[in-house]
Amino acid sequence: MTIPNFVVSPAHNSVLTLSERIGAIPALASSCEVLYNRATKRKNIGAWQISRESESVRAPRLVSVLNPLAQPTVNTILHVVRASANLFLLAGPSWPTATNNGSRAAASVVSTLISGLLSPIDRYGADGADQATTVTQGTNAIARLVSDDASRDVILWFQSIQCTMSYAVAGWAKMCGRPWRDGSAVKDIVRTKTYGHEGLWKLLESHPLISKAANYGVLVWECAFPAIYFLPTPLSRAFSATGMLFHIVNGPAMGLWRFAFAFGSLHPALRYTIEGSPRREALRTLAAYCTAGMAAALTMGWVGYGRRRSRLRDVLAKREQVATRHGNVLPLELTADTGTGPVVVFENGLLGLPEQFHWIQQDLHSRGVSSATYIRAAYLPDAGTAQGHYQIDHAVDELVDVIEHVRSRREGRPLILIGHSFGAELIRRAGLRAPESVVGTVALDPTHPNQFRASALQAGSKQTFTDHLVLFRSLITARLGEFLVHPDWVRTLPDQVKKEAFDQYADPALWYGGQMEWNAVLGEMPDDASEVATIDSSLVISAGRTITSDSVLDRLHQELAGQRHVVVDDVTHESMLSNRAHSLKCAQHIHEFITAIPQTTNEETAA
């Protein structure tokens, strides 16, 4: 039997030891910060008591596992152990012996495991720095535990490529942001309270050329970072040194000192791959693997897209079809008829789907309220005449057509419209156009026609949302929807509904439609202080976190509601639909509203 050789070569040992010592600093600092805050009883907005609410949506089973680890005594012990392990990595011996190699590997394993367990619990200061540290320490442990130098080379190349991707991906992502493209991003960042520096901001503000040079210098350097593997060795060293200088400057300028050490721990492997290993042969192998990986990813993306699109067409074809005045055919889904009262029609928001109303719809159905959902023309897999020249009024026209169809299918009973976000604006307009059919509207955290004029915060968010939408649309158009993370509202749905919802979420049609609707919002929403009309029976349910973050929206929501305005505390714009408990609170208010309003239409009252 061949006994594995756990003695690391001097060349590998020096690279790993330097990486371990640099990476131990941010991990040690992280645990010390948590222990200090606990000892001084400083409050933490990322405390587990707060963050576990969102984790319960993403992974309810994980919460039950993590709760014991969040207990102060257990949590303190884990941080003390992690701090001790990193203290050993920082100051312990670096002899290339089997015993020392095993000790350093064990310390890295302990730190990596504890970091993984505590990452959802202790989020104080957690960001890319902690993620980079965990990746480095985990792979350093593996490098010390494998038995041959060829495997260690592979691991060091992984770290090197991880380092390169960290810069390159960040740079190309920045290209999607207008402030980076127009040269104002760096100056705008250093003027903020969180990442700002007053002296540096004053310098950049008074010297525009320096500001733009810093902005475009960061952008070009990050985007071009993969060239480090192909440059002559002296230039490659300069490129690597520039990376460390970048982090050292960000330390005092933005308060990101831990980033310098976290990403600095990847640089020993980067230097090794551009200097120490047979670079030309490795680059050929790397290029082959990258090409194969990209081809595999694109193949998976296109195959996944075809399967999702086929399933989606089959599902939508089985639904009731509503022909509209604009030539579109909209898939409609009616729940079983449960009584003689009003029927609810749901209208989702921008980039939303009918499945987002699942919990509210289910609760109302259990209370005897029938309902209907449909998909707007812009979001259909084979978009109709709305494609290319979308107008808000066209969407309202088609909602009125859906209203009349639902009413005819439910023996002329009155309707109540429920809309979320931008969907609330659509139901407001439709209610005014079809008063003979609609007896009430419920707006869930609604979009107000004048909110971009009235609220500086909302106006400032327009460009950010536009940039994010363009980025996502580009990725989905490239058929990368297969690799999208399921959003919270999808994760919480029952399995069958979850699959249908994600098929739509990852389909390019949703993002094309969202782009068209967003362009219409920017172009058609009024830019004045004109009064907004609503029907008499209107309820507005505001998410508590929304109006807490922007008090102007509280006033605008009250304007839409008249006397019927409800605020649900500790609920966000998204969680009022995605979180079952939050949805049920909203459903309770909706049911009370339904039972309180007159059950006859204006048409029947006149008769």
Side-chain angles (χ1 to χ4, degrees):
M1 176 185 292
T2 302
I3 299 175
N5 177 24
F6 292 111
V7 177
V8 183
S9 68
H12 286 121
N13 184 64
S14 63
V15 174
L16 292 172
T17 299
L18 180 58
S19 174
E20 288 163 347
R21 286 180 170 163
I22 298 173
I25 295 173
L28 178 62
S30 175
S31 284
C32 288
E33 284 177 343
V34 172
L35 294 172
Y36 174 80
N37 288 339
R38 181 165 294 134
T40 57
K41 298 181 178 179
R42 294 180 64 181
K43 293 183 179 180
N44 177 10
I45 194 171
W48 177 242
Q49 292 83 354
I50 299 172
S51 61
R52 68 181 172 189
E53 183 175 323
S54 61
E55 291 295 340
S56 66
V57 174
R58 297 186 182 94
R61 293 180 183 176
L62 181 63
V63 171
S64 62
V65 174
L66 295 178
N67 276 332
L69 303 181
Q71 297 300 316
T73 302
V74 176
N75 191 263
T76 298
I77 291 173
L78 289 174
H79 276 291
V80 169
V81 171
R82 184 170 77 148
S84 301
N86 282 284
L87 193 60
F88 172 76
L89 290 172
L90 178 63
S94 59
W95 310 314
T97 62
T99 301
N100 192 57
N101 182 65
S103 299
R104 298 190 74 85
S108 292
V109 168
V110 168
S111 181
T112 302
L113 291 177
I114 293 178
S115 296
L117 287 172
L118 296 181
S119 60
I121 299 173
D122 296 315
R123 295 184 174 181
Y124 179 79
D127 210 329
D130 281 357
Q131 296 163 8
T133 301
T134 303
V135 168
T136 305
Q137 292 190 326
T139 50
N140 281 342
I142 296 172
R144 287 195 177 276
L145 293 174
V146 296
S147 59
D148 62 280
D149 287 344
S151 298
R152 294 187 184 100
D153 271 346
V154 170
I155 294 166
L156 292 179
W157 267 98
F158 169 82
Q159 290 186 352
S160 176
I161 294 169
Q162 180 67 49
C163 179
T164 302
M165 288 177 60
S166 298
Y167 298 125
V169 172
W172 287 102
K174 288 182 176 72
M175 288 288 287
C176 297
R178 186 182 299 274
W180 285 100
R181 297 197 303 271
D182 66 21
S184 62
V186 170
K187 183 185 70 174
D188 290 345
I189 290 170
V190 297
R191 69 176 294 186
T192 62
K193 184 174 183 179
T194 303
Y195 296 114
H197 187 284
E198 185 177 359
L200 183 56
W201 175 75
K202 288 180 178 178
L203 171 67
L204 298 180
E205 177 71 12
S206 57
H207 296 82
L209 289 179
I210 296 178
S211 176
K212 288 187 179 295
N215 183 99
Y216 292 124
V218 169
L219 198 60
V220 171
W221 170 75
E222 287 188 331
C223 290
F225 201 86
I228 194 171
Y229 296 116
F230 305 97
L231 295 172
T233 300
L235 289 179
S236 294
R237 290 174 181 168
F239 232 67
S240 175
T242 305
M244 289 308 303
L245 179 63
F246 170 76
H247 290 298
I248 291 171
V249 170
N250 282 344
M254 299 175 63
L256 297 176
W257 279 113
R258 276 164 58 184
F259 275 69
F261 297 101
F263 287 93
S265 66
L266 291 168
H267 276 252
L270 178 67
R271 292 289 296 270
Y272 174 80
T273 56
I274 63 177
E275 295 180 11
S277 64
R279 186 163 60 163
R280 181 168 298 180
E281 181 180 349
L283 284 175
R284 283 200 297 265
T285 304
L286 174 63
Y289 278 120
C290 288
T291 302
M294 292 174 62
L298 288 173
T299 301
M300 288 176 60
W302 276 96
V303 170
Y305 160 73
R307 293 172 60 189
R308 285 192 308 273
R309 177 60 69 93
S310 177
R311 287 197 303 262
L312 185 55
R313 284 194 178 119
D314 290 343
V315 168
L316 298 183
K318 295 175 183 177
R319 296 182 183 176
E320 197 165 330
Q321 306 296 309
V322 181
T324 73
R325 70 190 73 179
H326 293 295
N328 295 311
V329 179
L330 310 181
L332 174 80
E333 198 164 25
L334 280 163
T335 62
D337 199 357
T338 55
T340 58
V343 180
V344 167
V345 175
F346 289 98
E347 185 68 78
N348 51 267
L350 192 146
L351 287 173
L353 295 169
E355 285 77 8
Q356 289 178 290
F357 292 107
H358 175 80
W359 298 119
I360 293 178
Q361 187 177 27
Q362 185 183 69
D363 183 78
L364 293 179
H365 186 77
S366 69
R367 299 171 186 264
V369 179
S370 301
S371 61
T373 58
Y374 78 105
I375 299 177
R376 292 198 290 275
Y379 295 141
L380 294 176
D382 302 297
T385 56
Q387 187 82 322
H389 55 275
Y390 180 90
Q391 295 179 17
I392 295 177
D393 279 344
H394 284 182
V396 177
D397 288 341
E398 296 192 320
L399 173 54
V400 172
D401 293 338
V402 169
I403 289 170
E404 297 308 321
H405 180 86
V406 172
R407 194 176 178 206
S408 69
R409 292 278 281 107
R410 288 293 179 255
E411 293 135 3
R413 280 152 53 190
L415 302 184
I416 292 175
L417 309 182
I418 299 178
H420 176 247
S421 193
F422 173 64
E425 172 62 10
L426 298 182
I427 68 166
R428 181 188 70 82
R429 298 189 186 193
L432 293 171
R433 290 193 193 179
E436 70 283 354
S437 301
V438 178
V439 295
T441 61
V442 179
L444 302 175
D445 224 30
T447 295
H448 190 285
N450 296 325
Q451 70 182 39
F452 295 125
R453 184 202 61 81
S455 168
L457 187 61
Q458 296 301 310
S461 69
K462 289 193 295 184
Q463 189 58 56
T464 301
F465 183 81
T466 299
D467 292 339
H468 288 171
L469 182 54
V470 169
L471 174 61
F472 265 85
R473 178 184 167 183
S474 301
L475 294 174
I476 302 301
T477 301
R479 302 301 186 258
L480 297 179
E482 188 75 11
F483 307 102
L484 276 179
V485 175
H486 286 57
D488 287 346
W489 68 267
V490 171
R491 288 193 188 98
T492 62
L493 295 172
D495 289 341
Q496 184 55 38
V497 181
K498 183 185 302 183
K499 180 179 291 187
E500 294 178 10
F502 187 74
D503 283 347
Q504 295 176 74
Y505 179 75
D507 194 274
L510 178 75
W511 301 91
Y512 275 112
Q515 181 76 67
M516 287 192 296
E517 289 196 334
W518 180 240
N519 290 341
V521 167
L522 296 179
E524 298 180 37
M525 288 291 197
D527 192 23
D528 55 46
S530 57
E531 292 186 5
V532 178
T534 61
I535 69 171
D536 292 336
S537 297
S538 300
L539 167 67
V540 170
I541 301 178
S542 298
R545 301 272 182 94
T546 296
I547 61 175
T548 299
S549 63
D550 189 351
S551 59
V552 174
L553 292 182
D554 187 20
R555 174 176 60 81
L556 296 178
H557 286 187
Q558 290 182 40
E559 179 183 324
L560 291 173
Q563 298 301 315
R564 295 180 176 89
H565 182 215
V566 175
V567 177
V568 183
D569 294 330
D570 296 324
V571 169
T572 69
H573 186 73
E574 292 80 18
S575 75
M576 67 193 315
L577 299 183
S578 65
N579 184 297
R580 185 177 184 181
H582 295 177
S583 294
L584 295 182
K585 290 180 181 178
C586 295
Q588 175 64 34
H589 291 296
I590 293 170
H591 186 256
E592 291 173 359
F593 173 74
I594 292 174
T595 56
I597 64 175
Q599 303 298 298
T600 57
T601 65
N602 292 340
E603 182 181 68
E604 294 169 330
T605 301

